[in-house]
Each structure stands twice: as structure tokens, then as C-alpha cells.
Amino acid sequence: MKVAINMRVNLPAYCKAKLLRLYQQHPTGTGFLLVGAAGFIFDMAVFFTLMHGLELSPLSARILAFIGAVLLTSLANRYFTFRGRRHRAITSQLLLSTAIALIAGAINLSTFYLLISSLPEASVTHIMAFSLGILMGMSINWLGSNKLSHKHITDHDTHN
């Protein structure tokens, strides 16, 4: 499969070449990471816009931003990351993706909380806890997306 990446970001040529090579070698994993990065940016932008622009409470803004990010990443994974697979009905896939995202989010926050509550307080502790929480949540999200919500289905599994 020949892949063309149109980068409008001003990256050095070697970064573009490495990213393209990574995508060509591991298209599903790289696509998942790119969709996740876009989802993170969308999530944060919506959160701050709702909280500061519309003056919603932080919790309300976080919930709405999370829902939007789950919808964005689920659809982007369906039509970009896992585009070569046959899919279940979109409604059931969105519900399953949301459940996986909630589980991954709970693991992310639990990992963060356990680390910051059990280690001495220092900024390196917060960075480490934040990073490990994201890594744990992302791993669960990858497994759930790849093996459950976006798994390649057979004819008898199709609900379309």
C-alpha cells in the first residue's frame, strides 16, 4: 500500500521521513496514535473553550469534551485507523468504544492517583504519574479498540 502524508506542519525533512516510514511499517498502530493525539488536542480545546468561553463548570466542560473526543476518535479509528476491516453497526461500535474509553480513563486516573498518593511529592513524581497513567490508559484503549470495538468481524457477526 502506498501512503502519502500531506504534512502542513513545518517539520524537518528527517522527521517527516521517519513518520512516513513508521506509518508504512505499522499503519494501524501509527494511525491509532495519530488519532489519539488529534483526540487529545480536540478534547483539551473543547474543554477550555467550554470552561472559559461558555463558563461551564470544570466537571460539565470535562464531561462534554470527553464525549466529543470519544465520538471523534471512534469515528476516526473506524474510517482511518481500522479502515480495512469490516465493522459492526456504528451505534454498537460507538457504545463499545465509549465503554472502553471509560475503562481506560478510570485506569489512567487510578494509576495517577495511586502513584501520587504513595510516592513522595515532587514535580518529577507528578510528571511520572501523569505519564504512566496515560500509558496505562492508552494501552487499554489500544487493546479494546483493536480486539473489541474495531475487530475485524465475519459475516455472521455483522449487524448492519
Side-chain angles (χ1 to χ4, degrees):
M1 171 195 305
K2 187 170 181 170
V3 176
I5 296 179
N6 184 4
M7 298 254 182
R8 295 185 186 202
V9 179
N10 191 13
L11 291 174
Y14 69 91
C15 288
K16 290 179 187 178
K18 284 187 182 256
L19 184 58
L20 181 59
R21 188 170 42 253
L22 180 65
Y23 184 78
Q24 289 170 336
Q25 292 172 348
H26 308 285
T28 305
T30 306
F32 186 82
L33 290 173
L34 291 171
V35 167
F40 176 78
I41 292 166
F42 175 86
D43 193 357
M44 187 180 295
V46 170
F47 171 70
F48 283 108
T49 299
L50 292 174
M51 196 170 72
H52 296 293
L54 297 179
E55 298 181 0
L56 294 182
S57 71
L59 184 58
S60 296
R62 188 67 200 100
I63 290 169
L64 291 173
F66 175 81
I67 292 168
V70 167
L71 288 171
L72 172 75
T73 57
S74 183
L75 292 172
N77 279 326
R78 180 184 179 100
Y79 295 110
F80 174 68
T81 305
F82 302 108
R83 69 182 166 275
R85 298 181 183 184
R86 293 198 51 204
H87 297 284
R88 64 182 78 239
I90 194 163
T91 304
S92 63
Q93 189 175 47
L94 285 172
L95 289 173
L96 190 53
S97 292
T98 301
I100 292 166
L102 288 170
I103 292 166
I107 290 170
N108 177 337
L109 294 175
S110 297
T111 302
F112 176 79
Y113 177 77
L114 287 171
L115 289 171
I116 63 168
S117 63
S118 62
L119 295 173
E121 188 167 336
S123 53
V124 72
T125 302
H126 292 114
I127 293 168
M128 182 184 69
F130 185 83
S131 300
L132 288 174
I134 287 174
L135 183 62
M136 293 297 293
M138 184 176 62
S139 299
I140 297 301
N141 210 346
W142 164 253
L143 289 172
S145 293
N146 193 36
K147 301 294 183 187
L148 296 173
S149 65
H150 295 281
K151 76 174 185 172
H152 183 76
I153 59 172
T154 60
D155 288 332
H156 72 277
D157 291 331
T158 307
H159 301 288
N160 288 330

